[in-house]
Amino acid sequence: MQWQRPTFGNVMNSIAPTSQDQADAAIARLVSRKEAWIAVSVGDRIAYLKRCIAEVMAVAESWVATACHAKGIPSDSQLVGEEWLVGPVATVANLRQLIQTLEANGQPAPIALRSGATGQFVAEVFPKTVVDRLLWLGYRGEVWIEPGQPATQGMIYRQPPDRGQVALVLGAGNIASIAPMDTLNKLFAEDQVVLLKMNPVNDYLGKFLEQGLRSLVQAGFLEIVYGGAEIGAYLCQHPQIDTVHITGSHQTHDAIVWGSTAAEQAERKANQQPKLNKPITSELGCVTPILVVPGRWSRSDLAFQARQVASAVAHNASFNCAAAKVLVTAQGWEQREEFLQQVRQALASIPPRQAYYPRAQQRYQAFLDRYPQSEPLASRTAAIVPWTVIPNVPPAAGEYALTTEAFCGVLAEVSLDATSAEEFLAEAVTVANEKIWGTLSCTVLIDRTTQRRCWAELEQAIADLRYGSIGVNVWSAVIYSVAVFPWGAFPGHSLDNIGSGRGMVHNSDLFEHPQKSVLYAPFRLRPTPLWFADHRNLARSAQAFAHLQAAPGWGNFWQVFVAALKG
C-alpha cells in the first residue's frame, strides 16, 4: 500500500513564493544596510532586543494558534503549551539572554571556570539569576571549551568586523523558534544582517516573525522571503550573499554545497571543488541516543524516567532533531526488562499525534520493512504514525536504526554486554561515538547513588562523548530551549563528511571556542517538567512561562510556580 501525506485543512504551503526579482530587491536592501548594522551601538542593540520581546509577545497567541492549527492540535488541548514553549518562549528567552550579555557592554560577566577531565576549560553558565535558580532548582549547566583553547567571549564586540556581511538563513520546518533564533545568532553573535528564507512546511510563521521582529525588519537589518528548493538554491549562489546557515538534513546540505545529484556530489568531493564557494554553517540532525546507566532504581524512579524517555520520543510528534531515537541499556541490569516495559506503557499512554511533516509515513514504513519485530503501540492511519518500539537492535556498525534518522515516532532499543555502571559507561561511549550516527545531542540517565559512586567515570564519559549537547538526567533538547547554551554538532566535521553539521548557534555568552554544552539535573524532578507529555496544566504553565521570560519578576514567577504545581 502506498501511503500518501494527508492534509488536515491547515495553512501549510499557503504562502506565495518569493520571485527572483523580489529576492534581488530584498538582498539589495540588506546590502545597503549591512555597514550600518556593524556601527549600531551596544545600547541601541539592547533597545532593538527589548522592542522585539514586546513585539513577539504581541503576536504570541496568534502565532501559537496558527501553529496548532497547522499541526492538527485542538485549541483546547494541553499540547497548545508545547507550541508556546517551542515558539514564543524559546525566542523570548534568547532575546532576554542576549540582553543580559549586551548589558555588560558586550563583555559577558565573569564566569566560573574549572578544569575538566581532559584538562580543557569548563565554564559554569547556568543558572545565572535568582529566579532561574528557583525555577531550575538543582540544575547546573556548563560549556566545555575546545581543548587547548581559551574561554574567551564576545570577539565581535572587542574587535568589530571590518565590513558588513549579508547572511542567508534557511529556516527549519519543524520547530517554530529555530528560524528566529538562528536569525538572532547571525545578527547579534556574528554581526551580519539576515535574509531569512522560511521553510515551506511552516512558512505560515513568516508573518508572525515579520511582526515579532518588526524593529529589525523596519530598520532594514532583516528580510524574510518564501519558497522551496528552487529559490533556496538561487539565494545560496547569489553573489551578494556572504554566508549561509541551514537547519535541516545532511542531504539538503550536500545538495547545496556539492551539487543536486549523487554523481555531481561524488565528483566534486573527489576533486574537493564544492559548488558553494562561501562559508556555510549547519545543524543537521542526529540519531539521538539515551544512555541508561544501570543502578538500583525504585518503582517510582522507573516510572518517572520511562515518562521522560516517552516524552522525548513524542514531543512535536517526534519531528525533532533531538527526539529520542535509540535507548541504550545494559544486558546485565536486573531492572532492564521492567524499565523497558515501563517505557512501552508510558508511550502507549500518550495519544498519537498527526504526522504533519512530509514523508513521515514513508520513513516509518522503511523501519517496519527492516525490523519485523517492531511493536506499534497504537493503530496506524493515513494521518498517524503510531509510537513504535523496536526491541533488540544489534549495536553493529551500519545498522539502519542507528544510522538513519527516523524523524517519526520510532524508538530503537539496544542492549550492551555490561552489568556494572563502570562497564556500561565505557561501552556506551564507544557505541554512541562509533555506531550511532550524528553528534548533535544525547542524554545520560544515572541515579544519584550511582552518580556519586562513579563520578570520575561519568565525567570521563562526558569528556569522551562526541556530542555538542549532553543532558544528564534531563532530555538533551532542553539545552536547546535554555538559550544560554551553545547548540550545534560536536566540532570537527568536514564539508565532505558533514554529519550533524558545523558551527553553533544561540551561545548567548558568546564563547569563541565552545565544544559542548552539558546540563545536569536531579534524577527525580518535581513538579512535573514542562517537556513531559503527560503534564496536566501545560497550556497555562507555558503561557505563564512566556510572560516570565518577557518580564522577569516575582509576580510572573509565582504565576509559573502555581501553574506548574497543577501539572
Side-chain angles (χ1 to χ4, degrees), residues 281-305:
T281 52
S282 50
E283 193 262 77
L284 305 173
C286 185
V287 178
T288 305
I290 295 184
L291 313 180
V292 184
V293 182
R296 187 170 294 279
W297 296 9
S298 69
R299 283 187 172 274
S300 56
D301 291 338
L302 291 164
F304 179 88
Q305 294 301 347

Side-chain angles (χ1 to χ4, degrees), residues 294-299 301-302 330-342 447:
R296 187 170 294 279
W297 296 9
S298 69
R299 283 187 172 274
D301 291 338
L302 291 164
Q331 289 179 11
W333 182 31
E334 60 184 15
Q335 295 177 292
R336 173 175 170 266
E337 288 299 332
E338 185 180 0
F339 179 63
L340 293 178
Q341 189 57 30
Q342 291 269 17
D447 67 89

Side-chain angles (χ1 to χ4, degrees), residues 257-281:
V257 174
W258 298 102
S260 57
T261 67
E264 183 183 5
Q265 290 178 18
E267 181 178 356
R268 287 185 174 275
K269 286 182 179 181
N271 296 318
Q272 285 297 294
Q273 294 180 338
K275 181 179 180 180
L276 186 75
N277 292 309
K278 59 188 69 174
I280 180 170
T281 52

Side-chain angles (χ1 to χ4, degrees), residues 354-559:
Q354 289 188 346
Y356 71 87
Y357 211 86
R359 297 190 60 77
Q361 293 283 2
Q362 290 89 334
R363 290 190 298 274
Y364 179 61
Q365 187 63 46
F367 277 80
L368 295 186
D369 291 344
R370 286 168 174 81
Y371 297 103
Q373 75 269 35
S374 296
E375 301 175 7
L377 301 176
S379 299
R380 181 185 186 182
T381 71
I384 289 173
V385 169
W387 316 129
T388 299
V389 174
I390 307 177
N392 303 315
V393 173
E399 185 69 32
Y400 187 80
L402 308 186
T403 56
T404 305
E405 186 176 14
F407 221 63
C408 63
V410 167
L411 177 67
E413 186 268 333
V414 169
S415 62
L416 307 182
D417 185 13
T419 299
S420 70
E422 295 87 344
E423 290 174 329
F424 176 81
L425 282 168
E427 180 66 16
V429 167
T430 299
V431 170
N433 285 343
E434 298 178 8
K435 306 290 179 62
I436 299 176
W437 181 84
T439 64
L440 183 63
S441 75
C442 74
T443 298
V444 180
L445 302 181
I446 180 168
D447 67 89
R448 183 165 55 180
T449 300
T450 305
Q451 186 171 340
R452 282 199 301 261
R453 192 187 79 244
C454 303
W455 173 251
E457 290 84 357
L458 175 63
E459 185 170 43
Q460 189 62 55
I462 291 170
D464 292 340
L465 281 166
R466 295 196 293 269
Y467 287 85
S469 291
I470 301 169
V472 179
N473 293 330
V474 58
W475 179 31
S476 58
V478 176
I479 294 172
Y480 166 93
S481 300
V482 183
V484 66
F485 294 100
W487 177 261
F490 188 83
H493 295 295
S494 62
L495 277 181
D496 60 353
N497 186 17
I498 194 60
S500 291
R502 305 207 312 178
M504 289 193 172
V505 293
H506 310 173
N507 188 20
S508 62
D509 282 317
L510 305 179
F511 286 104
E512 290 156 24
H513 306 286
Q515 183 195 53
K516 65 180 71 173
S517 303
V518 184
L519 180 60
Y520 301 86
F523 187 59
R524 289 282 298 280
L525 302 172
R526 294 182 180 86
T528 300
L530 293 180
W531 58 93
F532 272 40
D534 57 358
H535 196 290
R536 292 179 294 181
N537 197 33
L538 182 59
R540 180 70 192 101
S541 298
Q543 192 169 6
F545 198 47
H547 288 285
L548 177 63
Q549 293 293 336
W554 293 113
N556 284 335
F557 168 80
W558 286 114
Q559 292 291 324

Side-chain angles (χ1 to χ4, degrees), residues 90-110:
T91 303
V92 171
N94 195 185
L95 290 162
R96 177 64 59 192
Q97 294 285 352
L98 287 168
I99 289 170
Q100 290 178 4
T101 294
L102 296 188
E103 284 180 337
N105 199 32
Q107 299 294 321

